Amino acid sequence: MPHTLRQQLADLVLLGELKPGDRLDEHKLAERFGVSRTPIREAIRQLGASGLIEIRPRRSAVVRSFDRTELSEAFEAMGEIEALCAARAAVRFNESERLRLRALIATSEDITARKDRSAALEMDFEFHGLLHDGARNWMLKTVAEETRLKITPYSAALFTMESYDADLGRPHNQHAEIAEAVLVGDGDRAGALMREHIAQALISLQTFFEETAAQPDAPKAKGRT
Amino acid sequence: MPHTLRQQLADLVLLGELKPGDRLDEHKLAERFGVSRTPIREAIRQLGASGLIEIRPRRSAVVRSFDRTELSEAFEAMGEIEALCAARAAVRFNESERLRLRALIATSEDITARKDRSAALEMDFEFHGLLHDGARNWMLKTVAEETRLKITPYSAALFTMESYDADLGRPHNQHAEIAEAVLVGDGDRAGALMREHIAQALISLQTFFEETAAQPDAPKAKGRT
DNA sequence: AACATAATTTTTGTATGCAATTTACCTTTA
DNA sequence: TAAAGGTAAATTGCATACAAAAATTATGTT
């Protein structure tokens, strides 16, 4: 099942080939995907409306980048939204979802032990996706995923760093705790734990970006030596 | 300051000229706005990504329509998001915003007395917009406005109905109560009142749509007598 | 008259070309 | 060497054209 052009383009950003601040050259992208500029432009506009890239009239579109303040606000907002999903999921989960969640945590345990960062990233998406579905609210799910999408270029970068190996256990343990609260039906606790989980993720992100000097908002080296 | 094409197109939907379910003919729109189909298509794609219209491959795009369940879920989600904004605004409002809020409520009082539904709709937008800003979180504001945008074709319809005159006082009073909580700095109360306010809005919407039989999800009469 | 099928029109998807603007590069000057 | 200016190249915005698919109308059969 071939992805849509829009998804293929998004993947360039989501999988890290294009990083925040990078320009999107319509000609080159058209050539790369073997189509004309017209469909490329349409895909770019869509991703622009999704907030994944930034569209500036008469100038190249660029991958959306956040400064420290924006990143912190984004995580604060996401924390609240994910907390909402978790709290509702705790109350509305059905039996098959409970089974799936349990299985997910077990698999995650394994992945964490093997320090497979790539699998851990996928697992992270699945875990949160399961809670988004469990909230049984289409709009809430949409909002959660749109929010998550916008910061993905940053959070995904974390999982690609070798130095993140050491901290891989923390998110897993937090997921396990949240899952427990969800399975017990304790919405308030699940929500609170989720809020904390997202807050921790922000701290990890900030820490690693400070260390590597690849900080958000850092001016891109564009040929200027 | 001329609006962008995207905004002009959105206005067709937001101001009620195009209703949920209506098709967007690229040719006619291009002719209407005096441009070619290319920029029209780009605008349509953007609005599609925003969730205001629905894009179906190889078929005309249509204004997004919600069935009863979706509408109810949308309002539930919006209630939580708006409550978040209100709760934060109560704590983070600055002095000029407090003044502006007080002035807004005073004006609203007047508008309600005059039963000016059109002005009341604008006032509604301003009231909520002020709280979105007051939350001091760019992402939260974005999420709130995107959510609000999606259901606007429905909520705006309410304000255009003559029969809504009788109920015009209720939203105003609720706004006033919320404003009071915000000005006192009581975030929890502001949030709770906001949640209630949005829930009431849904009920009004459902009630009026049932009465007029112009229910959401109703199949559009398209030439078929 | 009802239904199925074929012809016709409408509408979308994409490629291509050109004008307008921005960006990059190179020269000149302090 | 750094700044400033001007020219050339690259890039976006938009119009137009045409093929493919969908919607509509017309036609024929039972």
Side-chain angles (χ1 to χ4, degrees):
Chain A
M1 164 183 170
H3 278 123
T4 65
L5 192 59
R6 180 193 168 178
Q7 188 59 50
Q8 288 183 288
L9 234 185
D11 283 343
L12 288 185
V13 179
L14 267 21
L15 301 179
E17 184 163 341
L18 289 172
K19 296 190 196 331
D22 285 355
R23 293 173 46 166
L24 289 99
D25 185 309
E26 297 175 0
H27 257 299
K28 287 178 185 138
L29 290 172
E31 197 168 302
R32 165 164 189 166
F33 291 114
V35 296
S36 78
R37 278 177 53 218
T38 312
I40 292 287
R41 291 196 108 232
E42 291 179 358
I44 286 181
R45 297 308 155 114
Q46 290 183 16
L47 296 180
S50 305
L52 194 62
I53 67 186
E54 186 187 343
I55 288 174
R56 312 165 301 173
R58 285 280 172 201
R59 333 256 300 281
S60 298
V62 295
V63 178
R64 179 85 165 86
S65 69
F66 296 94
D67 61 26
R68 288 172 199 70
T69 305
E70 289 171 326
L71 202 62
S72 135
E73 289 182 1
F75 271 76
E76 186 188 344
M78 189 170 73
E80 294 297 339
I81 291 162
E82 293 280 338
L84 268 171
C85 288
R88 276 173 164 56
V91 179
R92 300 182 185 174
F93 247 36
N94 64 29
E95 203 47 46
S96 84
E97 285 167 323
R98 302 178 111 76
L99 277 163
R100 176 124 187 66
L101 183 57
R102 262 188 271 264
L104 215 72
I105 295 298
T107 311
S108 173
E109 177 93 48
D110 201 52
I111 285 169
T112 305
R114 298 206 324 269
K115 297 211 185 298
D116 183 343
R117 294 195 306 280
S118 164
L121 174 59
E122 277 185 55
M123 190 53 54
D124 193 62
F125 266 92
E126 280 201 58
F127 176 77
H128 289 282
L130 189 54
L131 295 184
H132 296 164
D133 286 333
R136 293 275 139 61
N137 182 312
W138 172 84
M139 179 66 91
L140 197 54
K141 174 185 160 82
T142 301
V143 164
E145 290 183 343
E146 283 177 352
T147 307
R148 193 151 258 272
L149 179 75
K150 296 197 220 310
I151 54 93
T152 297
Y154 290 96
S155 58
L158 200 56
F159 280 90
T160 69
M161 301 173 68
E162 281 188 39
S163 51
Y164 192 57
D165 272 356
D167 292 277
L168 219 56
R170 180 144 37 81
H172 164 70
N173 289 336
Q174 291 174 344
H175 283 184
E177 271 195 290
I178 294 166
E180 200 179 336
V182 168
L183 290 170
V184 171
D186 189 342
D188 287 343
R189 181 168 158 78
L193 287 171
M194 178 61 89
R195 220 182 325 260
E196 185 58 30
H197 172 54
I198 303 292
Q200 285 282 345
L202 172 62
I203 291 172
S204 292
L205 204 57
Q206 288 172 330
T207 307
F208 279 95
F209 276 134
E210 296 296 328
E211 282 174 6
T212 58
Q215 302 155 32
D217 194 33
K220 286 281 149 184
K222 32 177 200 175
R224 173 168 311 211
T225 52
Chain B
M1 163 181 170
H3 278 123
T4 65
L5 191 59
R6 180 192 170 181
Q7 187 59 49
Q8 288 184 288
L9 232 185
D11 283 344
L12 288 186
V13 178
L14 269 19
L15 301 179
E17 183 164 341
L18 289 172
K19 296 192 196 329
D22 285 356
R23 294 173 46 166
L24 288 96
D25 185 310
E26 298 175 0
H27 256 298
K28 285 176 187 142
L29 291 172
E31 197 168 302
R32 165 162 189 167
F33 291 113
V35 295
S36 79
R37 277 177 55 219
T38 311
I40 293 287
R41 291 198 109 230
E42 291 178 358
I44 286 180
R45 297 307 155 117
Q46 290 182 323
L47 296 180
S50 305
L52 194 62
I53 67 186
E54 187 186 342
I55 287 174
R56 313 164 301 173
R58 284 278 172 203
R59 334 262 293 282
S60 299
V62 296
V63 178
R64 177 87 164 87
S65 69
F66 296 94
D67 61 28
R68 287 171 200 72
T69 306
E70 289 171 326
L71 203 61
S72 137
E73 290 182 0
F75 271 76
E76 187 189 344
M78 188 170 74
E80 295 297 338
I81 291 161
E82 294 280 339
L84 268 173
C85 288
R88 278 173 162 56
V91 179
R92 301 181 183 173
F93 247 36
N94 63 29
E95 203 47 46
S96 84
E97 285 167 324
R98 303 177 110 75
L99 276 163
R100 176 121 188 68
L101 182 56
R102 262 188 272 263
L104 215 72
I105 296 296
T107 311
S108 173
E109 177 94 49
D110 201 52
I111 286 170
T112 305
R114 299 205 325 269
K115 297 210 184 301
D116 183 343
R117 293 194 308 277
S118 164
L121 174 59
E122 276 186 57
M123 190 53 54
D124 193 62
F125 266 92
E126 281 201 57
F127 176 76
H128 289 282
L130 190 53
L131 295 184
H132 296 164
D133 286 332
R136 294 273 138 62
N137 183 312
W138 172 84
M139 180 66 91
L140 197 54
K141 175 185 159 83
T142 302
V143 165
E145 289 182 345
E146 283 177 353
T147 307
R148 193 152 258 273
L149 178 75
K150 296 196 221 307
I151 55 92
T152 297
Y154 290 96
S155 59
L158 199 56
F159 280 90
T160 68
M161 301 172 69
E162 282 189 40
S163 50
Y164 191 56
D165 272 355
D167 293 275
L168 218 56
R170 180 144 38 83
H172 163 70
N173 289 336
Q174 291 174 344
H175 282 184
E177 271 195 291
I178 294 167
E180 200 180 335
V182 167
L183 291 170
V184 170
D186 189 341
D188 288 341
R189 181 168 158 78
L193 286 171
M194 179 61 88
R195 218 180 328 258
E196 184 58 29
H197 173 53
I198 303 292
Q200 285 282 345
L202 172 62
I203 291 172
S204 291
L205 204 57
Q206 287 172 332
T207 307
F208 279 95
F209 276 134
E210 295 296 328
E211 280 174 5
T212 58
Q215 302 156 33
D217 193 35
K220 287 280 149 182
K222 34 176 201 175
R224 174 170 310 213
T225 53

